[in-house]
Amino acid sequence: MENLANLNIYKASRTIKRRENTLYNALRSIHEDSIFVGEISQLWPELPLLANLRCGLWYSQKFHSTCYFKSTDGHTNNWSFNTSRLNLHVALLAGQKGGCMIVDSTRKGKRFPDSMSKTIPIWTCVLNRAIWNYRTRFGLAGSAEKNESNDSTECDSSINEDSYSWDCSLHLPLWVSNTERALIEERLDGWTKDLEASGADIASIVLSLKKPLRPLWISQKTVIWLNEVPDCDSWDFTPIILVSTSSPSSNFQQRTTSEFSWRYIAGAGDDEESWARGLSPNLFWKHAYDLISSGPDMCNKKVADIVEKDRVYRAQRGKNAPQISIKPSKSSASSGHFPAQEQLDLEPLCMNIEEKLFDNNSISWLGETNLAVGTTQLAKDASGIDCVLSCDLESNSLCSKESEAHLNLSIVSSKFDRSSLLRSLPSAVNFAKNNLRKGKRLLVCCSSGEDISICVCLAILMSLFDDRGHFDEGRYFSETQVTKLELRRRLVFICQFAVNARPSRGNVKQVFNYLCGGNVKPTS
């Protein structure tokens, strides 16, 4: 009887939570928090505003770029520096602009998500150490920037007392315990070695950054005196300003306006599949005024109309337009070669980060490999493409004159099928092999251009290219043993060009299993 009572209480609490977490409450909460983001961005208007995917993307209609720092990499006893999510474009952008601001949120009643409390601080510290090691290795510590500035970035105070100290220490917020700090610090040297072994383009970051990276934290409870806002140039570090939009007082707060009563939800943008009903951040900001003014009673219908009109609009233009199904509520880089272990060339080839596109409006060519990656909706009108490998479930709009120039593989996420990608990789690699040997330029695409298509390109690069990035029809692959280190190095190579790449762990694991299970034999 006691168990039944507990079960009823649990069900009741879940029902109440679902009722509070309505679509209107979520959108209204996002809109309220976006005002705070706008105010903070105006304090340092020269700094670019970045959204930490995916939650952060809801909180402004004017982001310069995106990044992908996962909270799971900062969870207690699960700290990680993930070489498949290096976010090097953030460091390059911060170096060019003098810093940047990253927006994220959390539902858990905390001021900051773990992505901001630990993941990003670990990232800045590891990058700073790798940069310092690079400068020391090539004799750049103390003289690299003297031609451009009187300020050099040195760690050794005996070299020049007037120069900036290159800070390699770990900077964590005060609420992280000393015990946790010590455990993280024990792992920093190992993570730095992992970064250096991954083949990441440290040289470009060395050229871009004149001061070490350092995180700063701003939330809705942070007190800022507007007449004392410091100028970024006055700091002896490159600021990574972490803006958490969540109001941490409680998860649900009753709020009332002259027209409506609604409940504020902290971190409302998180887990959009559970509440957004097909609405995207872009669609929301296009119709924000209408949605907010529609009120709680009409919001669901308004969203359904907007989503369906957008779907029809995209379908009429041959773009990817899947039918949105709503679950009913129970309550009612600069080179085309793979990076080597050591990068000796330091000539000024630092890429202009603004020339790299961070949205889905272009395809990304992977160096000189004749491979490109992008979204399915761009495949139809993409120029310079000879053949297309589509990984979408629906790609009826991709109709090629030559059947040999197009292959459609209906691959689903590892969340729904743990071997969908694995089963399709032999066909994908053979298709790529037959076309690349003829000198054709191949586009690999999926709906997002960020996950499945990235993993297919990874399998192709591993199977058909040698360690210098030359197409050899699989000879190098057949003679070498696949290692996780080599897999990471080539994934880092892809991410240098496809900066939005977000391959899931499950899909990368399927690529590794495919590579370990059989080789692609070269043809004579």
Side-chain angles (χ1 to χ4, degrees):
M1 186 69 180
E2 184 179 355
N3 291 337
L4 181 60
N6 290 336
L7 182 62
N8 289 337
I9 292 173
Y10 173 77
K11 284 186 174 181
S13 65
R14 295 290 295 176
T15 300
I16 293 171
K17 185 176 180 180
R18 283 196 297 269
R19 287 177 178 175
E20 305 293 358
N21 195 22
T22 65
L23 180 57
Y24 183 79
N25 286 345
L27 295 179
R28 188 64 186 259
S29 302
I30 289 170
H31 190 266
E32 291 289 310
D33 288 339
S34 72
I35 298 173
F36 168 71
V37 173
E39 292 173 348
I40 297 301
S41 66
Q42 289 304 308
L43 296 179
W44 295 280
E46 70 277 12
L47 297 185
L49 190 67
L50 281 69
N52 192 33
L53 297 174
R54 291 177 304 167
C55 179
L57 199 57
W58 286 91
Y59 290 95
S60 177
Q61 56 184 322
K62 295 181 180 180
F63 282 111
H64 182 280
S65 177
T66 62
C67 55
Y68 189 42
F69 295 98
K70 291 193 70 174
S71 287
T72 52
D73 291 337
H75 287 176
T76 302
N77 295 323
N78 192 46
W79 313 286
S80 175
F81 181 85
N82 199 312
T83 53
S84 66
R85 294 185 290 271
L86 286 178
N87 292 288
L88 295 184
H89 65 285
V90 178
L92 289 167
L93 183 62
Q96 291 188 3
K97 298 295 185 179
C100 67
M101 288 184 280
I102 299 176
V103 176
D104 203 353
S105 186
T106 180
R107 279 179 180 266
K108 298 184 179 180
K110 300 182 293 186
R111 289 177 64 188
F112 292 87
D114 283 344
S115 61
M116 290 183 165
S117 295
K118 286 167 279 188
T119 304
I120 296 178
I122 288 172
W123 174 81
T124 58
C125 182
V126 171
L127 279 186
N128 284 337
R129 292 184 176 211
I131 292 170
W132 172 247
N133 289 343
Y134 190 99
R135 285 182 162 145
T136 303
R137 186 180 305 122
F138 296 111
L140 302 174
S143 61
E145 283 81 33
K146 286 184 179 179
N147 292 333
E148 298 181 6
S149 172
N150 292 327
D151 300 320
S152 60
T153 53
E154 300 175 45
C155 228
D156 187 355
S157 60
S158 65
I159 297 177
N160 187 348
E161 294 181 356
D162 296 328
S163 64
Y164 288 123
S165 174
W166 193 263
D167 188 1
C168 296
S169 58
L170 176 65
H171 293 275
L172 292 171
L174 296 176
W175 54 87
V176 177
S177 68
N178 290 332
T179 300
E180 190 169 5
R181 172 190 291 273
L183 292 172
I184 294 174
E185 287 178 335
E186 290 176 0
R187 294 162 169 80
L188 290 173
D189 288 340
W191 289 331
T192 303
K193 292 177 181 178
D194 290 342
L195 172 60
E196 293 170 339
S198 72
D201 188 9
I202 304 298
S204 291
I205 302 177
V206 169
L207 290 172
S208 178
L209 280 173
K210 302 301 183 289
K211 305 175 187 178
L213 298 167
R214 182 170 176 177
L216 301 174
W217 295 267
I218 295 179
S219 73
Q220 294 199 34
K221 285 197 170 183
T222 303
V223 177
I224 301 177
W225 299 102
L226 297 181
N227 61 335
E228 296 181 3
V229 176
D231 185 61
C232 292
D233 293 336
S234 66
W235 290 324
D236 60 353
F237 55 85
T238 302
I240 305 295
I241 300 176
L242 307 178
V243 183
S244 176
T245 67
S246 304
S247 179
S249 55
S250 66
N251 283 342
F252 297 99
Q253 304 169 20
Q254 186 71 34
R255 298 189 181 184
T256 304
T257 65
S258 59
E259 296 177 296
F260 309 113
S261 177
W262 57 283
R263 284 186 177 270
Y264 171 81
I265 304 172
D270 193 20
D271 192 23
E272 62 190 54
E273 290 90 348
S274 66
W275 60 266
R277 293 175 174 260
L279 190 71
S280 65
N282 186 43
L283 275 180
F284 167 64
W285 285 109
K286 283 183 178 179
H287 305 276
Y289 177 79
D290 290 339
L291 289 171
I292 298 303
S293 60
S294 66
D297 296 334
M298 297 299 297
C299 182
N300 285 15
K301 184 179 184 303
K302 194 79 174 177
V303 167
D305 291 341
I306 290 172
V307 171
E308 178 60 18
K309 287 179 181 178
D310 180 69
R311 188 191 71 81
V312 172
Y313 175 86
R314 292 160 64 87
Q316 290 174 344
R317 284 153 181 80
K319 298 180 179 180
N320 184 42
Q323 188 76 39
I324 302 297
S325 59
I326 306 299
K327 183 179 180 180
S329 172
K330 295 181 180 180
S331 62
S332 109
S334 60
S335 171
H337 300 304
F338 296 137
Q341 294 281 357
E342 299 289 346
Q343 295 167 324
L344 302 177
D345 186 9
L346 196 62
E347 66 177 291
L349 294 175
C350 185
M351 46 188 148
N352 184 355
I353 201 68
E354 294 192 61
E355 294 178 358
K356 282 187 168 288
L357 298 178
F358 299 97
D359 53 20
N360 289 328
N361 293 327
S362 69
I363 61 176
S364 301
W365 287 101
L366 306 183
E368 301 170 0
T369 62
N370 275 353
L371 273 176
V373 64
T375 61
T376 305
Q377 69 183 61
L378 297 171
K380 185 176 180 181
D381 301 320
S383 59
I385 299 296
D386 300 314
C387 45
V388 176
L389 198 169
S390 172
C391 307
D392 269 350
L393 285 174
E394 299 179 11
S395 60
N396 296 329
S397 60
L398 292 176
C399 298
S400 177
K401 296 180 180 178
E402 302 178 38
S403 59
E404 295 181 357
H406 177 257
L407 176 65
N408 181 53
L409 298 173
S410 297
I411 305 175
V412 298
S413 169
S414 59
K415 292 182 179 180
F416 305 105
D417 187 338
R418 293 184 179 180
S419 59
S420 177
L421 176 61
L422 180 62
R423 292 193 302 269
S424 299
L425 283 178
S427 299
V429 171
N430 286 331
F431 177 79
K433 180 179 178 181
N434 291 334
N435 284 280
L436 292 174
R437 65 152 57 116
K438 300 174 185 177
K440 293 186 176 181
R441 294 158 69 87
L442 171 64
L443 169 64
V444 181
C445 58
C446 65
S447 58
S448 68
E450 299 173 351
D451 184 4
I452 295 176
S453 57
I454 296 293
C455 290
V456 171
C457 284
L458 178 60
I460 293 171
L461 287 174
M462 289 289 295
S463 301
L464 303 176
F465 290 77
D466 64 18
D467 60 340
R468 297 185 60 82
H470 300 139
F471 176 72
D472 68 352
E473 300 191 17
R475 276 180 281 273
Y476 177 82
F477 175 63
S478 65
E479 297 169 357
T480 57
Q481 183 177 1
V482 176
T483 64
K484 290 184 178 180
L485 175 60
E486 181 64 20
L487 192 74
R488 286 196 295 267
R489 286 183 60 239
R490 302 209 186 194
L491 184 55
V492 167
F493 169 79
I494 293 174
C495 293
Q496 289 180 11
F497 302 96
V499 293
N500 278 339
R502 295 190 295 146
S504 64
R505 183 176 181 180
N507 285 335
V508 173
K509 185 176 180 180
Q510 290 181 69
V511 173
F512 185 73
N513 289 340
Y514 162 75
L515 297 171
C516 292
N519 295 338
V520 178
K521 297 181 181 180
T523 58
S524 56

